[in-house]
PDB file of all heavy atoms in Angstrom:
ATOM      1  N   PHE O   1      87.991 100.220  91.868  1.00  0.00           N
ATOM      2  CA  PHE O   1      89.070  99.291  91.523  1.00  0.00           C
ATOM      3  C   PHE O   1      89.285  98.325  92.679  1.00  0.00           C
ATOM      4  O   PHE O   1      89.005  98.631  93.831  1.00  0.00           O
ATOM      5  CB  PHE O   1      90.376 100.029  91.168  1.00  0.00           C
ATOM      6  CG  PHE O   1      90.930 100.920  92.258  1.00  0.00           C
ATOM      7  CD1 PHE O   1      91.843 100.420  93.187  1.00  0.00           C
ATOM      8  CD2 PHE O   1      90.559 102.253  92.348  1.00  0.00           C
ATOM      9  CE1 PHE O   1      92.365 101.245  94.172  1.00  0.00           C
ATOM     10  CE2 PHE O   1      91.071 103.078  93.329  1.00  0.00           C
ATOM     11  CZ  PHE O   1      91.983 102.565  94.251  1.00  0.00           C
ATOM     12  N   TRP O   2      89.771  97.130  92.326  1.00  0.00           N
ATOM     13  CA  TRP O   2      90.145  96.126  93.314  1.00  0.00           C
ATOM     14  C   TRP O   2      91.665  96.144  93.391  1.00  0.00           C
ATOM     15  O   TRP O   2      92.344  96.148  92.360  1.00  0.00           O
ATOM     16  CB  TRP O   2      89.661  94.742  92.885  1.00  0.00           C
ATOM     17  CG  TRP O   2      89.745  93.772  94.017  1.00  0.00           C
ATOM     18  CD1 TRP O   2      90.830  93.057  94.420  1.00  0.00           C
ATOM     19  CD2 TRP O   2      88.703  93.430  94.914  1.00  0.00           C
ATOM     20  NE1 TRP O   2      90.536  92.296  95.504  1.00  0.00           N
ATOM     21  CE2 TRP O   2      89.223  92.508  95.839  1.00  0.00           C
ATOM     22  CE3 TRP O   2      87.379  93.829  95.041  1.00  0.00           C
ATOM     23  CZ2 TRP O   2      88.460  91.967  96.857  1.00  0.00           C
ATOM     24  CZ3 TRP O   2      86.623  93.266  96.052  1.00  0.00           C
ATOM     25  CH2 TRP O   2      87.175  92.351  96.948  1.00  0.00           C
ATOM     26  N   ILE O   3      92.196  96.188  94.594  1.00  0.00           N
ATOM     27  CA  ILE O   3      93.645  96.284  94.750  1.00  0.00           C
ATOM     28  C   ILE O   3      94.145  95.222  95.719  1.00  0.00           C
ATOM     29  O   ILE O   3      93.531  94.993  96.767  1.00  0.00           O
ATOM     30  CB  ILE O   3      94.061  97.711  95.177  1.00  0.00           C
ATOM     31  CG1 ILE O   3      95.567  97.863  95.138  1.00  0.00           C
ATOM     32  CG2 ILE O   3      93.478  98.063  96.517  1.00  0.00           C
ATOM     33  CD1 ILE O   3      96.043  99.304  95.197  1.00  0.00           C
ATOM     34  N   GLN O   4      95.200  94.543  95.325  1.00  0.00           N
ATOM     35  CA  GLN O   4      95.905  93.612  96.189  1.00  0.00           C
ATOM     36  C   GLN O   4      97.347  94.094  96.300  1.00  0.00           C
ATOM     37  O   GLN O   4      97.959  94.445  95.288  1.00  0.00           O
ATOM     38  CB  GLN O   4      95.899  92.203  95.608  1.00  0.00           C
ATOM     39  CG  GLN O   4      94.534  91.554  95.602  1.00  0.00           C
ATOM     40  CD  GLN O   4      94.581  90.205  94.929  1.00  0.00           C
ATOM     41  OE1 GLN O   4      94.583  90.136  93.706  1.00  0.00           O
ATOM     42  NE2 GLN O   4      94.625  89.159  95.718  1.00  0.00           N
ATOM     43  N   ILE O   5      97.859  94.127  97.520  1.00  0.00           N
ATOM     44  CA  ILE O   5      99.243  94.570  97.749  1.00  0.00           C
ATOM     45  C   ILE O   5      99.931  93.537  98.630  1.00  0.00           C
ATOM     46  O   ILE O   5      99.375  93.103  99.646  1.00  0.00           O
ATOM     47  CB  ILE O   5      99.290  95.945  98.450  1.00  0.00           C
ATOM     48  CG1 ILE O   5      98.567  97.004  97.619  1.00  0.00           C
ATOM     49  CG2 ILE O   5     100.740  96.351  98.709  1.00  0.00           C
ATOM     50  CD1 ILE O   5      98.428  98.345  98.329  1.00  0.00           C
ATOM     51  N   TRP O   6     101.143  93.160  98.210  1.00  0.00           N
ATOM     52  CA  TRP O   6     101.981  92.262  98.993  1.00  0.00           C
ATOM     53  C   TRP O   6     103.293  92.968  99.319  1.00  0.00           C
ATOM     54  O   TRP O   6     103.790  93.772  98.529  1.00  0.00           O
ATOM     55  CB  TRP O   6     102.306  90.994  98.210  1.00  0.00           C
ATOM     56  CG  TRP O   6     101.113  90.182  97.861  1.00  0.00           C
ATOM     57  CD1 TRP O   6     100.532  89.214  98.621  1.00  0.00           C
ATOM     58  CD2 TRP O   6     100.347  90.231  96.653  1.00  0.00           C
ATOM     59  NE1 TRP O   6      99.445  88.678  97.971  1.00  0.00           N
ATOM     60  CE2 TRP O   6      99.313  89.285  96.750  1.00  0.00           C
ATOM     61  CE3 TRP O   6     100.437  91.012  95.491  1.00  0.00           C
ATOM     62  CZ2 TRP O   6      98.382  89.084  95.746  1.00  0.00           C
ATOM     63  CZ3 TRP O   6      99.511  90.808  94.488  1.00  0.00           C
ATOM     64  CH2 TRP O   6      98.497  89.852  94.627  1.00  0.00           C
ATOM     65  N   LEU O   7     103.837  92.669 100.474  1.00  0.00           N
ATOM     66  CA  LEU O   7     105.120  93.230 100.888  1.00  0.00           C
ATOM     67  C   LEU O   7     106.163  92.114 100.920  1.00  0.00           C
ATOM     68  O   LEU O   7     105.958  91.077 101.556  1.00  0.00           O
ATOM     69  CB  LEU O   7     104.995  93.856 102.275  1.00  0.00           C
ATOM     70  CG  LEU O   7     106.291  94.407 102.882  1.00  0.00           C
ATOM     71  CD1 LEU O   7     106.822  95.575 102.064  1.00  0.00           C
ATOM     72  CD2 LEU O   7     106.067  94.810 104.330  1.00  0.00           C
ATOM     73  N   TRP O   8     107.265  92.348 100.223  1.00  0.00           N
ATOM     74  CA  TRP O   8     108.435  91.471 100.254  1.00  0.00           C
ATOM     75  C   TRP O   8     109.480  92.153 101.124  1.00  0.00           C
ATOM     76  O   TRP O   8     109.952  93.225 100.795  1.00  0.00           O
ATOM     77  CB  TRP O   8     109.016  91.274  98.852  1.00  0.00           C
ATOM     78  CG  TRP O   8     108.138  90.546  97.891  1.00  0.00           C
ATOM     79  CD1 TRP O   8     107.096  91.058  97.171  1.00  0.00           C
ATOM     80  CD2 TRP O   8     108.228  89.172  97.531  1.00  0.00           C
ATOM     81  NE1 TRP O   8     106.537  90.088  96.387  1.00  0.00           N
ATOM     82  CE2 TRP O   8     107.218  88.908  96.580  1.00  0.00           C
ATOM     83  CE3 TRP O   8     109.072  88.120  97.913  1.00  0.00           C
ATOM     84  CZ2 TRP O   8     107.015  87.664  96.020  1.00  0.00           C
ATOM     85  CZ3 TRP O   8     108.873  86.889  97.345  1.00  0.00           C
ATOM     86  CH2 TRP O   8     107.861  86.663  96.413  1.00  0.00           C
ATOM     87  N   GLU O   9     109.814  91.563 102.251  1.00  0.00           N
ATOM     88  CA  GLU O   9     110.819  92.140 103.147  1.00  0.00           C
ATOM     89  C   GLU O   9     112.241  91.876 102.657  1.00  0.00           C
ATOM     90  O   GLU O   9     113.138  92.683 102.896  1.00  0.00           O
ATOM     91  CB  GLU O   9     110.662  91.571 104.562  1.00  0.00           C
ATOM     92  CG  GLU O   9     109.416  92.044 105.277  1.00  0.00           C
ATOM     93  CD  GLU O   9     109.488  93.471 105.751  1.00  0.00           C
ATOM     94  OE1 GLU O   9     110.579  94.088 105.741  1.00  0.00           O
ATOM     95  OE2 GLU O   9     108.432  93.994 106.156  1.00  0.00           O
ATOM     96  N   ARG O  10     112.426  90.722 101.987  1.00  0.00           N
ATOM     97  CA  ARG O  10     113.770  90.335 101.547  1.00  0.00           C
ATOM     98  C   ARG O  10     113.665  89.492 100.274  1.00  0.00           C
ATOM     99  O   ARG O  10     112.596  88.944  99.983  1.00  0.00           O
ATOM    100  CB  ARG O  10     114.490  89.561 102.637  1.00  0.00           C
ATOM    101  CG  ARG O  10     113.839  88.278 103.023  1.00  0.00           C
ATOM    102  CD  ARG O  10     114.547  87.597 104.201  1.00  0.00           C
ATOM    103  NE  ARG O  10     113.936  86.332 104.501  1.00  0.00           N
ATOM    104  CZ  ARG O  10     112.787  86.146 105.141  1.00  0.00           C
ATOM    105  NH1 ARG O  10     112.099  87.188 105.543  1.00  0.00           N
ATOM    106  NH2 ARG O  10     112.318  84.946 105.365  1.00  0.00           N
ATOM    107  N   PRO O  11     114.762  89.357  99.542  1.00  0.00           N
ATOM    108  CA  PRO O  11     114.741  88.537  98.318  1.00  0.00           C
ATOM    109  C   PRO O  11     114.328  87.101  98.635  1.00  0.00           C
ATOM    110  O   PRO O  11     114.748  86.527  99.636  1.00  0.00           O
ATOM    111  CB  PRO O  11     116.189  88.580  97.826  1.00  0.00           C
ATOM    112  CG  PRO O  11     116.779  89.787  98.450  1.00  0.00           C
ATOM    113  CD  PRO O  11     116.075  89.977  99.751  1.00  0.00           C
ATOM    114  N   GLY O  12     113.500  86.541  97.787  1.00  0.00           N
ATOM    115  CA  GLY O  12     113.084  85.157  97.941  1.00  0.00           C
ATOM    116  C   GLY O  12     111.899  84.960  98.857  1.00  0.00           C
ATOM    117  O   GLY O  12     111.465  83.835  99.082  1.00  0.00           O
ATOM    118  N   GLY O  13     111.399  86.026  99.429  1.00  0.00           N
ATOM    119  CA  GLY O  13     110.160  85.958 100.193  1.00  0.00           C
ATOM    120  C   GLY O  13     110.332  85.476 101.610  1.00  0.00           C
ATOM    121  O   GLY O  13     111.433  85.483 102.119  1.00  0.00           O
ATOM    122  N   PRO O  14     109.265  85.143 102.251  1.00  0.00           N
ATOM    123  CA  PRO O  14     107.909  85.079 101.701  1.00  0.00           C
ATOM    124  C   PRO O  14     107.293  86.471 101.577  1.00  0.00           C
ATOM    125  O   PRO O  14     107.762  87.409 102.209  1.00  0.00           O
ATOM    126  CB  PRO O  14     107.157  84.256 102.752  1.00  0.00           C
ATOM    127  CG  PRO O  14     107.829  84.588 104.036  1.00  0.00           C
ATOM    128  CD  PRO O  14     109.286  84.784 103.671  1.00  0.00           C
ATOM    129  N   ARG O  15     106.254  86.564 100.766  1.00  0.00           N
ATOM    130  CA  ARG O  15     105.551  87.837 100.659  1.00  0.00           C
ATOM    131  C   ARG O  15     104.380  87.815 101.626  1.00  0.00           C
ATOM    132  O   ARG O  15     103.781  86.775 101.899  1.00  0.00           O
ATOM    133  CB  ARG O  15     105.095  88.108  99.229  1.00  0.00           C
ATOM    134  CG  ARG O  15     103.997  87.196  98.746  1.00  0.00           C
ATOM    135  CD  ARG O  15     103.594  87.524  97.324  1.00  0.00           C
ATOM    136  NE  ARG O  15     102.443  86.711  96.938  1.00  0.00           N
ATOM    137  CZ  ARG O  15     101.842  86.790  95.787  1.00  0.00           C
ATOM    138  NH1 ARG O  15     102.277  87.635  94.871  1.00  0.00           N
ATOM    139  NH2 ARG O  15     100.806  86.033  95.519  1.00  0.00           N
ATOM    140  N   GLU O  16     104.045  88.986 102.144  1.00  0.00           N
ATOM    141  CA  GLU O  16     102.955  89.121 103.101  1.00  0.00           C
ATOM    142  C   GLU O  16     101.844  89.969 102.471  1.00  0.00           C
ATOM    143  O   GLU O  16     102.112  91.087 102.012  1.00  0.00           O
ATOM    144  CB  GLU O  16     103.473  89.802 104.369  1.00  0.00           C
ATOM    145  CG  GLU O  16     102.429  90.015 105.418  1.00  0.00           C
ATOM    146  CD  GLU O  16     102.966  90.755 106.648  1.00  0.00           C
ATOM    147  OE1 GLU O  16     104.189  90.995 106.729  1.00  0.00           O
ATOM    148  OE2 GLU O  16     102.142  91.107 107.486  1.00  0.00           O
ATOM    149  N   GLU O  17     100.637  89.433 102.448  1.00  0.00           N
ATOM    150  CA  GLU O  17      99.525  90.209 101.896  1.00  0.00           C
ATOM    151  C   GLU O  17      99.157  91.329 102.860  1.00  0.00           C
ATOM    152  O   GLU O  17      98.900  91.093 104.037  1.00  0.00           O
ATOM    153  CB  GLU O  17      98.308  89.314 101.647  1.00  0.00           C
ATOM    154  CG  GLU O  17      97.187  90.072 100.947  1.00  0.00           C
ATOM    155  CD  GLU O  17      96.034  89.176 100.563  1.00  0.00           C
ATOM    156  OE1 GLU O  17      95.337  88.708 101.483  1.00  0.00           O
ATOM    157  OE2 GLU O  17      95.842  88.954  99.369  1.00  0.00           O
ATOM    158  N   LYS O  18      99.157  92.558 102.363  1.00  0.00           N
ATOM    159  CA  LYS O  18      98.866  93.724 103.182  1.00  0.00           C
ATOM    160  C   LYS O  18      97.502  94.334 102.868  1.00  0.00           C
ATOM    161  O   LYS O  18      96.943  95.017 103.699  1.00  0.00           O
ATOM    162  CB  LYS O  18      99.951  94.794 102.979  1.00  0.00           C
ATOM    163  CG  LYS O  18     101.332  94.341 103.370  1.00  0.00           C
ATOM    164  CD  LYS O  18     101.353  93.874 104.785  1.00  0.00           C
ATOM    165  CE  LYS O  18     102.257  94.689 105.637  1.00  0.00           C
ATOM    166  NZ  LYS O  18     102.228  94.249 107.036  1.00  0.00           N
ATOM    167  N   MET O  19      97.010  94.127 101.666  1.00  0.00           N
ATOM    168  CA  MET O  19      95.749  94.742 101.252  1.00  0.00           C
ATOM    169  C   MET O  19      95.090  93.830 100.226  1.00  0.00           C
ATOM    170  O   MET O  19      95.754  93.272  99.357  1.00  0.00           O
ATOM    171  CB  MET O  19      96.031  96.113 100.617  1.00  0.00           C
ATOM    172  CG  MET O  19      94.889  96.754  99.892  1.00  0.00           C
ATOM    173  SD  MET O  19      93.613  97.396 100.942  1.00  0.00           S
ATOM    174  CE  MET O  19      94.528  98.522 101.944  1.00  0.00           C
ATOM    175  N   ASN O  20      93.775  93.692 100.353  1.00  0.00           N
ATOM    176  CA  ASN O  20      92.990  92.952  99.364  1.00  0.00           C
ATOM    177  C   ASN O  20      91.565  93.480  99.462  1.00  0.00           C
ATOM    178  O   ASN O  20      90.786  93.026 100.289  1.00  0.00           O
ATOM    179  CB  ASN O  20      93.042  91.450  99.634  1.00  0.00           C
ATOM    180  CG  ASN O  20      92.359  90.637  98.539  1.00  0.00           C
ATOM    181  OD1 ASN O  20      91.875  91.184  97.566  1.00  0.00           O
ATOM    182  ND2 ASN O  20      92.329  89.339  98.723  1.00  0.00           N
ATOM    183  N   GLY O  21      91.250  94.494  98.654  1.00  0.00           N
ATOM    184  CA  GLY O  21      89.927  95.069  98.763  1.00  0.00           C
ATOM    185  C   GLY O  21      89.569  96.031  97.661  1.00  0.00           C
ATOM    186  O   GLY O  21      90.398  96.407  96.839  1.00  0.00           O
ATOM    187  N   LYS O  22      88.320  96.430  97.683  1.00  0.00           N
ATOM    188  CA  LYS O  22      87.748  97.326  96.678  1.00  0.00           C
ATOM    189  C   LYS O  22      87.820  98.759  97.177  1.00  0.00           C
ATOM    190  O   LYS O  22      87.581  99.020  98.357  1.00  0.00           O
ATOM    191  CB  LYS O  22      86.299  96.914  96.443  1.00  0.00           C
ATOM    192  CG  LYS O  22      85.630  97.539  95.263  1.00  0.00           C
ATOM    193  CD  LYS O  22      84.244  96.919  95.109  1.00  0.00           C
ATOM    194  CE  LYS O  22      83.529  97.412  93.891  1.00  0.00           C
ATOM    195  NZ  LYS O  22      82.194  96.803  93.768  1.00  0.00           N
ATOM    196  N   ARG O  23      88.150  99.669  96.292  1.00  0.00           N
ATOM    197  CA  ARG O  23      88.231 101.087  96.606  1.00  0.00           C
ATOM    198  C   ARG O  23      87.541 101.888  95.502  1.00  0.00           C
ATOM    199  O   ARG O  23      87.502 101.486  94.350  1.00  0.00           O
ATOM    200  CB  ARG O  23      89.695 101.560  96.680  1.00  0.00           C
ATOM    201  CG  ARG O  23      90.529 100.857  97.722  1.00  0.00           C
ATOM    202  CD  ARG O  23      90.194 101.434  99.096  1.00  0.00           C
ATOM    203  NE  ARG O  23      91.006 100.852 100.141  1.00  0.00           N
ATOM    204  CZ  ARG O  23      90.648  99.808 100.876  1.00  0.00           C
ATOM    205  NH1 ARG O  23      89.520  99.202 100.657  1.00  0.00           N
ATOM    206  NH2 ARG O  23      91.424  99.362 101.836  1.00  0.00           N
ATOM    207  N   ALA O  24      87.033 103.055  95.869  1.00  0.00           N
ATOM    208  CA  ALA O  24      86.447 103.966  94.876  1.00  0.00           C
ATOM    209  C   ALA O  24      87.562 104.705  94.167  1.00  0.00           C
ATOM    210  O   ALA O  24      88.566 105.047  94.773  1.00  0.00           O
ATOM    211  CB  ALA O  24      85.510 104.951  95.569  1.00  0.00           C
ATOM    212  N   GLY O  25      87.385 104.941  92.866  1.00  0.00           N
ATOM    213  CA  GLY O  25      88.350 105.727  92.119  1.00  0.00           C
ATOM    214  C   GLY O  25      88.695 105.116  90.772  1.00  0.00           C
ATOM    215  O   GLY O  25      88.135 104.121  90.355  1.00  0.00           O
ATOM    216  N   ASN O  26      89.632 105.765  90.111  1.00  0.00           N
ATOM    217  CA  ASN O  26      90.075 105.339  88.785  1.00  0.00           C
ATOM    218  C   ASN O  26      91.529 104.873  88.845  1.00  0.00           C
ATOM    219  O   ASN O  26      92.101 104.737  89.926  1.00  0.00           O
ATOM    220  CB  ASN O  26      89.877 106.484  87.780  1.00  0.00           C
ATOM    221  CG  ASN O  26      90.635 107.727  88.176  1.00  0.00           C
ATOM    222  OD1 ASN O  26      91.676 107.678  88.839  1.00  0.00           O
ATOM    223  ND2 ASN O  26      90.109 108.886  87.793  1.00  0.00           N
ATOM    224  N   VAL O  27      92.134 104.677  87.688  1.00  0.00           N
ATOM    225  CA  VAL O  27      93.505 104.171  87.648  1.00  0.00           C
ATOM    226  C   VAL O  27      94.489 105.146  88.288  1.00  0.00           C
ATOM    227  O   VAL O  27      95.419 104.735  88.957  1.00  0.00           O
ATOM    228  CB  VAL O  27      93.912 103.803  86.200  1.00  0.00           C
ATOM    229  CG1 VAL O  27      94.022 105.035  85.319  1.00  0.00           C
ATOM    230  CG2 VAL O  27      95.188 103.016  86.174  1.00  0.00           C
ATOM    231  N   ASN O  28      94.252 106.439  88.141  1.00  0.00           N
ATOM    232  CA  ASN O  28      95.132 107.420  88.775  1.00  0.00           C
ATOM    233  C   ASN O  28      95.035 107.344  90.299  1.00  0.00           C
ATOM    234  O   ASN O  28      96.050 107.469  90.997  1.00  0.00           O
ATOM    235  CB  ASN O  28      94.803 108.838  88.296  1.00  0.00           C
ATOM    236  CG  ASN O  28      95.132 109.027  86.835  1.00  0.00           C
ATOM    237  OD1 ASN O  28      96.059 108.424  86.303  1.00  0.00           O
ATOM    238  ND2 ASN O  28      94.353 109.857  86.171  1.00  0.00           N
ATOM    239  N   ASP O  29      93.824 107.135  90.797  1.00  0.00           N
ATOM    240  CA  ASP O  29      93.644 106.979  92.243  1.00  0.00           C
ATOM    241  C   ASP O  29      94.363 105.731  92.753  1.00  0.00           C
ATOM    242  O   ASP O  29      94.958 105.749  93.835  1.00  0.00           O
ATOM    243  CB  ASP O  29      92.154 106.899  92.596  1.00  0.00           C
ATOM    244  CG  ASP O  29      91.395 108.164  92.246  1.00  0.00           C
ATOM    245  OD1 ASP O  29      91.935 109.263  92.490  1.00  0.00           O
ATOM    246  OD2 ASP O  29      90.273 108.055  91.722  1.00  0.00           O
ATOM    247  N   ALA O  30      94.318 104.664  91.973  1.00  0.00           N
ATOM    248  CA  ALA O  30      95.011 103.428  92.366  1.00  0.00           C
ATOM    249  C   ALA O  30      96.519 103.650  92.437  1.00  0.00           C
ATOM    250  O   ALA O  30      97.172 103.217  93.399  1.00  0.00           O
ATOM    251  CB  ALA O  30      94.685 102.312  91.374  1.00  0.00           C
ATOM    252  N   HIS O  31      97.087 104.333  91.458  1.00  0.00           N
ATOM    253  CA  HIS O  31      98.531 104.609  91.477  1.00  0.00           C
ATOM    254  C   HIS O  31      98.906 105.528  92.637  1.00  0.00           C
ATOM    255  O   HIS O  31      99.948 105.325  93.277  1.00  0.00           O
ATOM    256  CB  HIS O  31      98.984 105.191  90.132  1.00  0.00           C
ATOM    257  CG  HIS O  31      99.084 104.168  89.058  1.00  0.00           C
ATOM    258  ND1 HIS O  31     100.142 103.301  88.968  1.00  0.00           N
ATOM    259  CD2 HIS O  31      98.250 103.847  88.041  1.00  0.00           C
ATOM    260  CE1 HIS O  31      99.953 102.498  87.940  1.00  0.00           C
ATOM    261  NE2 HIS O  31      98.819 102.800  87.356  1.00  0.00           N
TER     262      HIS O  31
END
């Protein structure tokens, strides 16, 4: 699966990209 994760520290942003990459596994592993 490919996963992108952003972190919002406060309402209205900005959001910070924390992860953008491919990982082994299925949907349960992603969750």
Side-chain angles (χ1 to χ4, degrees):
F1 59 91
W2 194 276
I3 188 165
Q4 291 176 281
I5 301 173
W6 298 272
L7 176 65
W8 294 81
E9 290 286 349
R10 62 184 183 283
R15 69 180 185 178
E16 179 183 353
E17 186 174 69
K18 299 304 242 178
M19 168 73 57
N20 186 1
K22 191 175 184 180
R23 300 283 183 266
N26 58 29
V27 68
N28 293 328
D29 297 318
H31 284 282

